[in-house]
Amino acid sequence: MSHTTLPALTVFSFNSLSGAFEKVSSSVQALMVRVHNALANGIEERVREEQDADLAEATDRYDLEFRMRKQDRSGGGSYWSNGNNR
């Protein structure tokens, strides 16, 4: 009789562990996605703030347009100045 209950207990324990590992795995994966998104958004925001600060330092309209073109050429232009709003 102990032979029949022992394998059932082992299978049940394995299934429980398997389910627990799946839950932990999905939780870790969700956490990694949230951390990645937070870092990516933070980097994008910092780059945007640096670009805005550079534009704010312009002394006149020509300097502003020069800085905007420079950002466009480097791929860091603002939304409205690089044609993404079409």
Side-chain angles (χ1 to χ4, degrees):
M1 180 119 180
S2 65
H3 247 303
T4 59
T5 58
L6 186 59
L9 180 62
T10 305
V11 170
F12 176 74
S13 297
F14 177 75
N15 287 338
S16 297
L17 285 175
S18 177
F21 285 137
E22 287 177 15
K23 288 179 184 178
V24 169
S25 174
S26 64
S27 297
V28 168
Q29 184 178 8
L31 177 65
M32 290 176 64
V33 167
R34 284 187 286 172
V35 167
H36 173 267
N37 290 340
L39 289 174
N41 290 339
I43 291 169
E44 289 175 4
E45 184 177 336
R46 191 173 332 135
V47 168
R48 201 174 1 208
E49 288 173 358
E50 290 173 359
Q51 291 171 349
D52 289 345
D54 180 53
L55 294 178
E57 292 177 3
T59 56
D60 58 13
R61 177 180 174 187
Y62 301 106
D63 185 26
L64 177 63
E65 290 176 354
F66 172 78
R67 291 170 187 255
M68 290 169 60
R69 281 192 300 274
K70 185 171 73 171
Q71 285 183 3
D72 284 344
R73 282 192 300 269
S74 69
S78 65
Y79 176 80
W80 61 271
S81 66
N82 64 8
N84 287 335
N85 57 349
R86 295 180 194 173

